[in-house]
Every structure is written in structure tokens, then in C-alpha cells.
Amino acid sequence: MLIDIHAHMITPGMMNVHEFWGPFMTTNGFTVGHFCLGTSQPMSGTDEEATEKLLTKMRHESRRKLMADRNVDKIVVSIPSHAFMYWAGDFGNEYADLCNQELSNYCAKDPEHFAFWAHANLADPTAAVKQIDHAVRNLGAKGVCVGGANFNGLEAHSPELFQVWEKVTELDVPIMVHGYNQSIWLGDDHTSDLFETTSILGDCYDESLFFWYLICGGALDEFPNLKTYITHAGGMSLFQLGRLNALNKSMAPDARNKKPVTEYLDKFWFDLDVHATTLRKAVIDLVGVDNIVHGTNFGGAYDFGDPTAGLDLSNQDAEKIRSANAIKLLKL
């Protein structure tokens, strides 16, 4: 069995909701406010045709076909990271509520193949607590997806967010960490991010920041049962783990963690979303097979095929990565 827990989803009801924030699909790409994830070479056709093309890819039958082609049995979906709306004021709360209902409705039509991560507006922690509680208890969410850094000025170490970590721990569901395009904050100057650096490189940096801030802020001492899955193999956190561990006290004396950084590693789960077999082996060697899950941004820019191929794993260990760890972590 193969379960991919990193897959993004947008429904018709999540599009064209706000006159400025959208989100919209245009011939230039996915658009939120001034920001556009796209190209300087627009696709042919109209904005309406671009929207229909995107939504066609998201329909149950299209996704199931791609899943069958890639031998994936189930996916766990979350909203696109460009649409987190932490920066959108009151609309951020409205959009979180709407997205959770939309994702719940989508998955309820085919629960054998689809489950979802809740969305919450972490820029408003009190509202986020209510959104997560409702999404998990009443709508069937398996956890909550959050951006890697910068929730409208709040960060994973911020005391204001501890009520969110407390609620997630109380519900016994994991956090999924996915960076987002920080160039959205640049307003109409977002085009200065010429090569989409705040996504292509920035996602991994944001995810590493979350790892660092959650530990240094003392959240894992306050909430030792908090469980966190970090996409893209943890960003850069695992590959610089020795440096983070060594410099945590000597160069970051205000860090509030009570144990060395490496002693919190068992509180995190990682996927193998790195593009070399040797790096995947290194991630498994460092983390241990019990804390590895399968996540690929399903339906995105690339397809890894069998995530355990070439890793010299036993059948039992391979099956942990393919599905068993995800089933246990998300209670699928």
C-alpha cells in the first residue's frame, strides 16, 4: 500500500472568493492579491480556460487516474501554500473556515482515497484554535497544515502560538509544515522575486526555521507529545543538524530548550522528498525508519515513483515508509 500525505488541493468553492485576494487562476498563473505564481510567458487561452484546466486536474476522477498511474492508494490533501492567507486580515479567518468545509466535503465523497489536513489562520491564534478543533472533531481532518515561518509576524517560538500547540496536542493530531512564497508579503513589488526564490529555496528555509524555532522556543518541553511532519525532507534542518545542535547554546544563549537539539528528533517525521537515492538513505540513517513517511507534492512538478526503491530496506521497513507510519501518525 502507498499513501502520499503531501498533496495540494483547490476546489471551485475555494476560488474567486475575495475581490482582491482571490485566489484566481489566470493565464499568468495562480494569483493571490498582487502575487502570481506563474510565468512571464502566459499560457494560451483565457483566464476562464486556465481556471477550468486547473480544476479539472483536481476532480476526483482525474486524481484517482493519476493515483492509479503512480500506484498510490490514498492521498492526504492540504490547501496550496500560496493561499494560506496569513497576511489577509479578517479574510484569513473566513478563508480558513471555508477551506476546511470544502476539503471535508471533497474527501467525504471518496474517503477510501482521500483525507485532508485542516487549514488554520495562525496569524490569529485564538481563531486558529477554534478552526482546528472544529475541523478535527466535526469535519474529519487528520491534522493541521501550517506555513514554515512568519504568520503575520508570529513565529513557531512565539508565546501567542502555544495555545495552538496545546490544542493540537490535546486532539492528538500532527502538524504538517510546508513553507510558502514569502514574496507574497512584498505586495505589488513581488516581481522582485524574479526566479521564485522564496518558494524554490525559501520553502526549505522556512521549514528549517520552524524546526529550529519550535525547539529553541521551548514548545517541545511544554508539549512533549506534539508531533510534527516537515515536508521536503525537513528542508535543510537534517542536513545541518550537527551545526544546529552544536551552536544551539554557544551562539543562541536565549534558546529555551532544556535538552540538546538532537534529543528532540523523535518528535518529528520527515519524507524522502530529495532528488538522490544517497540523500534518502542519509535521511533514513539519521532519523530512523519509524519516523519517515511518504510525501511528494503529489501531482506537482515531479514523480519519484517508488519512494523505497534502491534503499536496501527490508519489506517490513519499506512498508512502514510506504504506508504504515502514515496510518499510525494520522490515524488513517
Side-chain angles (χ1 to χ4, degrees):
M1 187 175 190
L2 185 57
I3 300 175
D4 194 321
I5 67 172
H6 175 190
H8 299 299
M9 170 60 59
I10 193 94
T11 69
M14 294 160 63
M15 299 286 290
N16 308 319
V17 180
H18 189 278
E19 61 182 7
F20 177 70
W21 295 115
F24 309 104
M25 187 65 190
T26 73
T27 55
N28 288 322
F30 192 82
T31 302
V32 180
H34 291 292
F35 169 84
C36 181
L37 180 71
T39 174
S40 58
Q41 301 174 351
M43 65 183 77
S44 60
T46 65
D47 291 350
E48 290 76 14
E49 289 170 336
T51 300
E52 179 58 25
K53 184 177 180 180
L54 171 65
L55 294 177
T56 295
K57 290 173 58 178
M58 298 292 159
R59 292 185 180 123
H60 292 86
E61 56 270 23
S62 299
R63 290 237 136 172
R64 285 194 300 263
K65 183 181 184 303
L66 184 59
M67 291 164 67
D69 290 344
R70 297 185 179 182
N71 296 312
V72 174
D73 297 284
K74 193 179 189 98
I75 60 175
V76 186
V77 299
S78 57
I79 76 167
S81 58
H82 345 295
F84 282 154
M85 301 293 177
Y86 300 136
W87 50 86
D90 290 340
F91 179 64
N93 288 329
E94 177 186 337
Y95 197 65
D97 292 338
L98 177 129
C99 286
N100 288 331
Q101 189 62 62
E102 285 287 308
L103 293 177
S104 178
N105 292 345
Y106 182 95
C107 294
K109 293 179 180 178
D110 187 358
E112 179 183 353
H113 295 99
F114 302 99
F116 76 101
W117 296 94
H119 175 52
N121 181 22
L122 266 67
D124 184 344
T126 300
V129 167
K130 296 178 181 177
Q131 289 155 0
I132 295 166
D133 189 81
H134 177 62
V136 173
R137 294 187 191 275
N138 302 322
L139 300 179
K142 301 303 180 181
V144 57
C145 179
V146 306
N150 199 352
F151 311 108
N152 197 24
L154 299 177
E155 296 169 324
H157 63 83
S158 299
E160 295 91 332
L161 286 173
F162 274 47
Q163 62 181 303
V164 177
W165 313 147
E166 181 179 21
K167 172 55 66 175
V168 172
T169 302
E170 173 197 326
L171 294 169
D172 191 29
V173 295
I175 299 166
M176 171 188 176
V177 180
H178 192 297
Y180 70 90
N181 310 62
Q182 297 289 323
S183 56
I184 291 177
W185 292 92
L186 300 177
D188 58 6
D189 192 36
H190 75 278
T191 54
S192 63
D193 186 13
L194 181 61
F195 304 116
E196 203 55 48
T197 304
T198 67
S199 174
I200 297 170
L201 297 180
D203 280 4
C204 294
Y205 177 63
D206 294 344
E207 290 147 8
S208 304
L209 276 181
F210 192 97
F211 176 85
W212 180 242
Y213 285 159
L214 198 69
I215 293 174
C216 291
L220 293 176
D221 299 294
E222 185 76 17
F223 308 107
N225 294 321
L226 185 62
K227 296 173 287 190
T228 303
Y229 156 50
I230 305 183
T231 56
H232 308 122
M236 295 174 285
S237 56
L238 292 180
F239 300 97
Q240 293 294 334
L241 184 62
R243 175 182 175 85
L244 299 179
N245 189 64
L247 301 182
N248 172 244
K249 295 301 183 184
S250 62
M251 291 181 67
D254 294 326
R256 299 188 290 274
N257 51 295
K258 297 178 180 178
K259 300 184 293 186
V261 169
T262 52
E263 292 189 22
Y264 297 96
L265 202 57
D266 64 343
K267 308 299 181 183
F268 294 89
W269 280 255
F270 305 90
D271 55 37
L272 299 178
D273 191 357
V274 283
H275 293 245
T277 301
T278 52
L279 294 179
R280 295 184 192 179
K281 287 182 177 179
V283 170
I284 293 172
D285 287 345
L286 187 62
V287 173
V289 73
D290 290 335
N291 286 59
I292 303 292
V293 291
H294 179 53
T296 65
N297 185 23
F298 178 83
Y302 43 77
D303 171 24
F304 281 137
D306 183 352
T308 60
L311 300 181
D312 302 321
L313 297 169
S314 68
N315 290 337
Q316 181 180 10
D317 284 348
E319 198 58 28
K320 285 182 178 181
I321 293 173
R322 291 173 59 84
S323 62
N325 290 341
I327 291 170
K328 181 178 180 180
L329 180 64
L330 279 74
K331 303 184 182 69
L332 296 175

